[in-house]
Amino acid sequence: MRHLYSLRLIEAVARAGSMRRAAEDANITASALNRRIRRFEAEFGVELFERLPGGVRLNPAGELLLQHYRATLSDLARVQGQVADLSGERRGHISMACSQALLPYFLPEQIAAYRADHPGVTFSVKVRDRAEAEAELASYASDIALVFEPIYLVDFEVIEMVPQPVHAVMAADHPLAAQAELRLRDCLDGPHVAPAAKFGVRHLLDFAARKGSRRVAPIVETESFELIRHYVLHERAVGFQIPIGLRDPGDGSLVFRPIAARDLPVGNLFLGQMRGRSLPVASARFAVRLAAALKAYRTPGAG
């Protein structure tokens, strides 16, 4: 456990890029922190940091050690979960990375349902785009990820996958609202609000627009899907979202319409973990629950 504390300090220094800043965060003096790390390096037999004029950064040996430390923490959490099960306690912490679309409705419902059965389990939920979510898994920063259109899938072990066609979001009095299915050109030829390029929805839009000799030229580009949903109520513009992130507000103000599949390919929402990793008990059980809940979205409907 003594070495675990030293490794936690090493991780803090790597994250801060500075002994001084890491020491402030850890509430110890910079000299004490530096001595502890020097002592660990002496015992370990190799230096872990490159000392630079403006701070420090991990060298290749340090990167390998930090990866080992994160894997060790993951294994320790898994064993603690198993021990808690032996004693009849249901405890643990679940860390996950997810796309924004999961935040308004799906995840709050699933987390609350899980905690109703296991009130000792806590959660950390981090909003990450499709590249960041995969990096979270690889660095053991998250146990599971739920992300729309991930990029690489190299170290991503798929637990469940559900198709999610992109929907147009607009005010009920928008001229296109009366159409049951929309053509992409109709959405892009008028004012539209779009997510930033790093998001899966925008990736699909850009790809399809180029094939159809159109381009995505939003009047508002944003990293917030919440802003998209609200903005279309203020101007006759079309926004874009996937069904799992949409719900009828109940007042008739907002409508959602699928964009024709011949214009815009259906995207996929992936639930996954790092390939080959044994998840902590709580995370593994929650992943099973999420996979079952996602099956209900295999045939998404319009709002």
Side-chain angles (χ1 to χ4, degrees):
M1 289 299 179
R2 176 174 62 88
H3 281 322
L4 286 179
Y5 177 65
S6 296
L7 288 166
R8 187 160 65 246
L9 292 177
I10 290 167
E11 183 180 43
V13 173
R15 186 169 54 249
S18 161
M19 292 280 185
R20 180 184 56 79
R21 286 195 295 271
E24 290 173 355
D25 293 340
N27 199 29
I28 61 176
T29 65
S31 58
L33 174 61
N34 189 51
R35 284 196 303 272
R36 188 175 192 107
I37 290 178
R38 287 291 193 186
R39 188 161 58 245
F40 183 91
E41 288 175 324
E43 292 178 15
F44 192 59
V46 65
E47 290 191 352
L48 304 173
F49 290 96
E50 295 178 39
R51 270 69 177 183
L52 307 170
V56 297
R57 69 181 175 205
L58 287 173
N59 61 24
E63 294 280 2
L64 285 173
L65 180 66
L66 199 55
Q67 186 75 359
H68 166 74
Y69 167 63
R70 288 166 174 163
T72 299
L73 288 184
S74 173
D75 288 342
L76 184 60
R78 178 172 54 84
V79 173
Q80 286 173 325
Q82 292 170 339
V83 170
D85 272 4
L86 290 175
S87 62
E89 300 175 3
R90 296 294 177 89
R91 296 183 179 177
H93 181 77
I94 298 170
S95 176
M96 67 178 302
C98 72
S99 297
Q100 277 194 57
L102 286 303
L103 297 182
Y105 309 112
F106 182 78
L107 268 187
E109 292 169 351
Q110 297 307 315
I111 291 173
Y114 189 85
R115 280 188 36 79
D117 296 332
H118 311 296
V121 175
T122 57
F123 284 78
S124 60
V125 178
K126 292 162 280 188
V127 182
R128 297 291 185 263
D129 65 39
R130 59 206 192 105
E132 293 168 340
E134 294 181 78
E136 286 272 326
L137 296 182
S139 66
Y140 291 82
S142 288
D143 302 323
I144 53 179
L146 191 50
V147 61
F148 184 63
E149 287 293 297
I151 297 177
Y152 303 113
L153 290 176
V154 176
D155 296 317
F156 195 103
E157 183 176 323
V158 177
I159 300 170
E160 186 64 49
M161 180 189 77
V162 291
Q164 289 283 280
V166 176
H167 279 46
V169 183
M170 68 198 85
D173 61 354
H174 192 283
L176 298 177
Q179 300 182 27
E181 183 183 65
L182 298 179
R183 301 302 302 270
L184 180 60
R185 62 173 178 264
D186 294 331
C187 299
L188 297 182
D189 285 348
H192 50 277
V193 183
K198 65 181 181 178
F199 295 105
V201 168
R202 179 62 179 273
H203 168 72
L204 292 177
L205 287 170
D206 285 337
F207 177 77
R210 286 193 296 269
K211 287 182 62 178
S213 300
R214 294 293 199 284
R215 69 187 186 95
V216 182
I219 56 172
V220 177
E221 182 178 270
T222 176
E223 295 186 353
S224 169
F225 283 91
E226 191 73 11
L227 174 61
I228 292 174
R229 285 194 298 273
H230 286 285
Y231 189 82
V232 298
L233 295 174
H234 294 273
E235 184 174 350
R236 283 197 166 184
V238 174
F240 305 95
Q241 177 60 294
I242 55 176
I244 202 167
L246 296 170
R247 190 164 296 182
D248 188 344
D251 59 3
S253 61
L254 206 60
V255 296
F256 324 127
R257 297 287 181 263
I259 298 173
R262 60 187 179 277
D263 295 339
L264 187 63
V266 173
N268 290 296
L269 180 66
F270 288 83
L271 169 66
Q273 66 176 80
M274 183 178 176
R275 191 178 303 279
R277 179 184 175 188
S278 296
L279 290 177
V281 174
S283 299
R285 287 179 173 165
F286 186 60
V288 170
R289 180 187 289 262
L290 287 180
L294 284 169
K295 293 183 190 298
Y297 289 86
R298 284 194 173 276
T299 310

